[in-house]
Every structure is written in structure tokens, then in C-alpha cells.
Amino acid sequence: MTANPQPAAFRPATAILSLGDSFYDSVTAAPFPQTILRFRNDRAAATVGLDSLSDVAWVAHFGRFAPLPGSLTTPLALRYHGHQFRNYNPEIGDGRGFLFAQMRDDQGRLMDLGTKGSGQTPWSRFGDGRLTLKGGVREILATEMLEALGVSTSRSFSLIETGEALERNDEPSPTRGAVLVRLNHGHIRIGTFQRLAYMRDEDGMRRLTDYVLGHYFGDFSEGDDGPVRLLDHVVRRTARLAGQFMAAGFVHGVLNSDNINVTGESFDYGPWRFNPSWDPDFTAAYFDHAGLYAFGRQPEAIYWDVMQLAVSLRLISPAEPLIAVLDSFGDHYQPAVTGAILWRLGVVPRSSADDRALIQAMEPALRAAETPLDRFFQASFGGQIPDSFGPGFTEARAIAAHYTPRKPRDHGYWQEQAPCSMLIDEVESIWSDIAERDDWAALHAKVVKIREFGAALAD
């Protein structure tokens, strides 16, 4: 990451309206009893020209959802379908969130501000449309850590406590309510395309394909191969994301097709976890009994979801070119995961053969020794794997010694003995301070520490 030298101007957009009202429903935010500002991400806000808002204006926009000037005049609950744990569900959509605003960022990209916990919509079914405060805190921690680790992710933009007591089966109740705003490079999901295929809506599929190609990939090429070009972009982006997840030791937990953004940006964090070691069977969701979305199966899960996009695009495209693009997923994933691991290891890639040999020596050693991932990468940044990790790393140590560090270990972070981690015990400890004493110091201190970690890793 590099700092933007000039403050971004707020540049509102309403691009989503070009799709037409068959893609969304106009909704109203819940009238929350209170709006207590708990977290505002001024670093993210600076990229879209909103960091100068006062706290009062911030709460008005992101707690009461007064429209941002020039952007959407009413929130929109997006319509989509999706496979949930491989079972197709045509009765989902934005059930506790909506698209609140669109704008351009400091790179000129179209960005969305979307919500979680903002109230009921036509797609809420039996849900209350709310988010627990703990869920919001967990999402802040997930997105901050993933951003530091170089993963393409949404950014937790705002968290406001709502003064509501919520009943939940998976945590002590009643528990505190909140509304989260996240900044994304788009909220179009694979499930958005699946809905159109299910409805046999060829015109809608073409409009959505052109919308995504133009607004998110800058692809305005002429011709009838738009669906194939779209799939190629998505395959490349999602293969990169899968590789980033693995290098980060991250387990999303619920990689359903309605949770896969076609821009290849991870979002919507529920039962996420970071893997303490390189354990392929490690799962995040207590309800993932079959390990469908276990750490080592995430590339497969993301590929399966992208395959559903290919199936959907057959509505407006011949199958053969789509299959050919889909088959390239593995070819993109392998260099993506190798590059992501080498980046976290802090070395400059050499050749595909050398890089592959290093990963093939390192990964089984990590798995066999159950070496703590964060401690390994902390100690080995720059390519010098310490002898203290044992003889299992002899081959990896010898190969890594020939690599050039991609940056010196001169950041103050590297002087610390303990790595910056985000394991479940610390997450629960941070939440306990909030739940028991309304003490937010540990959360804010952790965000500062994570950002320091990110600065130490950054190119």
C-alpha cells in the first residue's frame, strides 16, 4: 500500500440505477433507538473524500442514512440467488443490508457503501434484519488484518451501536445491536447472475454483464464475447483471492456463491478464523460439519462457485469458450498462491521452478511440525528461516537462503518478539472487554497494531 499524496474529493455516483429496478428494491433503514459511534475508518474514508465529515454528520449518514449528496436518494436492497453449502436457494437477497451509496475513489474506481444490520427488507424472510455488536467488532478485526496481509477485502467503514437488545442462539442473549457500513469495489455477486439465469432473463443478463465489464474491469470491447471476457476477469480475480487466503492462513467460513464478489474482493465476514498452523482441515464455522469450506478446500470452493457463474452465463453464451476459461482457474491459482506466500515471506520471486520448489519444501514442513504460522512468517521475513524451527525445514531453509529480501527489516515492528496475530482467543478477549466493561481500548489499540504490521509488510 502507498499513501495517497492528495486528499480525495467526494465524487458521488449512481451507476447501479442504469441496471433498472428489476435488480433491487428501494428500502428504508430501521429507526434505531440510539446511534452511538464506535468506529470510523478515516483511512478508508480519505480514499473517497469523506474523512472530513464531523462525527455528527457521520452518524447522520451512516447511522440514520441521510443520503450523501449526489449519490443514491434511497437505499437499495439488491436481489440475488445463490448456492448455500451447495444447495440452491432462490429466496435470498439483501435481507439485513442495502446499497447505501456509490462514489469514485482516489483511483477512479466505482465504489459501494453497503450495510449490514440496517433493518428488514423484502428479503429478510424470518430474520430481524439486525447485526450484533460483536459481529460488527469481529468484522472490523477481520478486514483490518486481511488488509494488512495483502488480501483483497472490503473495508469496515463505520460501526454504530444502535441501542437494541437482540436475541441470538449462538451467543449470550440479549446482546447489543449495531449497524456496520462497509466500503467495497462493488456488491455484484455470482448469485446476482444466478438469479437472472434462474429467471431466464437474457436481457437482464446482458445488461449486468456489460455493467460489470465496464464499471469494474474497464472493459468496453465490442463483440459478442462479453460473457467470456467477464468470466476470464472473474477467474483471474477469484484465483488471486484464493491464493491470498491461503498465504494469510485465513478461513472465510461461508464461501457460498452469494458471498463471492465478481471483482474478487472478499467480504461479508461471519464465522471467520485465522488458522493457528498450516492445517488443511481447519474450519471456521461450527455448522460446517463436512468441512466443505475448510482451510485447504477454499480454492476448490471458490472454483466451484465460479463454475456456477459459468453455468449462468450459458444463458447468453456458447458453452465451449466458457469451459475453456473456467479450466484456466488452476493455471491462475498456482502462481497466485506462490506469489502471495513469497510476498508474506518477504522475498523477491526468482523463477517459477525455484519458487515452486521453495513452497513445496516449506508447506509440508509447516504442516508436519504444526508450526504457528504467524511466528514462522515473523521470524523468517526476508528469507532467512531460523534454525530454531527444526530439521524439518532444512530443505526449505537452504532454498530460501538464495532469495533476495524484497525490503529490509528496518521497520520498528520487526524489533518485536511476538507477531501480530488475530487468533480466536484474542478476538474473544477484545470482545469481552467491550461486553463486560464497555472498554473499547483493546479494539482500538489492536487496529493501530495491525496497521503498523501492514506498514511493515507493505511494498
Side-chain angles (χ1 to χ4, degrees):
M1 298 176 294
T2 56
N4 184 31
Q6 297 293 331
F10 177 61
R11 292 185 288 164
T14 58
I16 192 73
L17 300 180
S18 67
L19 288 174
D21 58 11
S22 64
F23 282 81
Y24 46 74
D25 296 273
S26 296
V27 294
T28 303
F32 300 119
Q34 294 178 284
T35 46
I36 307 167
L37 179 58
R38 295 302 192 182
F39 177 80
R40 57 177 285 172
N41 190 340
D42 282 322
R43 185 169 72 168
T47 68
V48 292
L50 292 173
D51 54 315
S52 63
L53 289 175
S54 68
D55 282 354
V56 171
W58 187 281
V59 170
H61 290 304
F62 308 126
R64 299 299 182 190
F65 296 100
L68 287 167
S71 191
L72 302 177
T73 58
T74 182
L76 304 176
L78 304 184
R79 300 176 182 178
Y80 49 86
H81 291 180
H83 279 88
Q84 298 182 309
F85 284 84
R86 305 278 168 94
N87 296 306
Y88 192 75
N89 189 347
E91 298 181 355
I92 54 178
D94 279 340
R96 59 170 174 167
F98 49 61
L99 176 59
F100 169 61
Q102 291 188 301
M103 65 219 64
R104 297 283 171 181
D105 72 359
D106 54 3
Q107 301 174 49
R109 301 184 305 166
L110 180 65
M111 304 296 289
D112 288 356
L113 284 175
T115 66
K116 189 174 184 177
S118 49
Q120 292 180 312
T121 77
W123 309 104
S124 299
R125 293 181 290 171
F126 302 108
D128 62 9
R130 304 308 203 257
L131 171 69
T132 67
L133 184 61
K134 182 178 184 180
V137 167
R138 283 173 49 84
E139 184 141 341
I140 291 169
L141 293 170
T143 54
E144 289 285 339
M145 191 68 176
L146 288 173
E147 184 180 353
L149 286 166
V151 178
S152 301
T153 178
S154 64
R155 303 172 81 179
S156 297
F157 195 83
S158 171
L159 183 67
I160 291 176
E161 188 169 358
T162 60
E164 295 180 310
L166 307 179
E167 296 291 334
R168 291 293 186 270
N169 294 325
D170 54 354
E171 60 179 285
S173 296
T175 189
R176 295 151 70 176
V179 61
L180 176 81
V181 177
R182 58 166 72 102
L183 182 66
N184 269 72
H185 185 36
H187 275 81
I188 303 300
R189 310 151 192 258
I190 287 175
T192 315
F193 287 87
Q194 288 182 280
R195 172 179 169 271
L196 298 172
Y198 181 89
M199 299 170 61
R200 310 300 298 171
D201 183 354
E202 295 184 22
D203 179 63
M205 186 73 82
R206 291 191 178 91
R207 275 186 288 144
L208 183 61
T209 297
D210 290 343
Y211 176 88
V212 172
L213 280 171
H215 286 295
Y216 297 119
F217 300 118
D219 186 339
F220 300 99
S221 301
E222 300 289 337
D224 297 328
D225 64 340
V228 178
R229 287 185 283 114
L230 170 66
L231 184 63
D232 183 59
H233 286 298
V234 176
V235 163
R236 292 172 185 270
R237 295 287 188 91
T238 54
R240 181 186 66 181
L241 177 64
Q244 291 171 341
F245 274 178
M246 299 305 287
F250 181 71
V251 186
H252 183 281
V254 188
L255 291 175
N256 295 331
S257 62
D258 59 295
N259 281 344
I260 302 296
N261 188 328
V262 294
T263 63
E265 185 181 64
S266 178
F267 76 115
D268 202 11
Y269 300 99
W272 62 269
R273 295 277 188 95
F274 280 92
N275 204 342
S277 61
W278 194 277
D279 177 3
D281 297 325
F282 183 81
T283 58
Y286 67 87
F287 45 82
D288 187 5
H289 304 296
L292 182 64
Y293 299 143
F295 175 64
R297 297 185 65 182
Q298 290 184 120
E300 168 203 338
I302 292 174
Y303 169 78
W304 192 93
D305 288 327
V306 176
M307 182 168 60
Q308 307 319 305
L309 175 61
V311 170
S312 299
L313 289 170
R314 287 182 60 185
L315 181 68
I316 58 170
S317 173
E320 290 77 8
L322 293 172
I323 293 170
V325 171
L326 184 66
D327 285 347
S328 70
F329 185 94
D331 294 334
H332 295 301
Y333 169 72
Q334 289 302 328
V337 68
T338 299
I341 291 174
L342 292 180
W343 180 85
R344 190 174 181 191
L345 190 61
V347 297
V348 178
R350 286 168 57 89
S351 68
S352 57
D354 289 340
D355 298 343
R356 187 166 55 250
L358 176 57
I359 302 304
Q360 288 176 343
M362 194 170 70
E363 188 270 343
L366 284 169
R367 187 172 66 246
E370 299 182 352
T371 304
L373 280 181
D374 297 320
R375 187 163 64 84
F376 174 81
F377 283 112
Q378 165 94 350
S380 305
F381 189 85
Q384 300 300 312
I385 302 175
D387 292 339
S388 59
F389 286 110
F393 289 89
T394 299
E395 182 181 0
R397 188 178 296 112
I399 298 172
H402 295 288
Y403 277 73
T404 302
R406 66 174 174 83
K407 64 180 300 185
R409 293 175 62 107
D410 56 359
H411 192 282
Y413 168 79
W414 299 115
Q415 308 309 312
E416 300 182 14
Q417 297 299 313
C420 183
S421 300
M422 187 51 64
L423 302 181
I424 188 62
D425 288 347
E426 184 174 9
V427 175
E428 292 296 332
S429 175
I430 290 170
W431 170 246
S432 292
D433 286 352
I434 295 169
E436 296 171 10
R437 297 182 297 279
D438 204 30
D439 183 353
W440 292 77
L443 172 67
H444 294 297
K446 187 64 180 182
V447 170
V448 170
K449 182 57 64 178
I450 292 171
R451 292 182 179 183
E452 180 187 18
F453 173 48
L457 284 176
D459 295 316

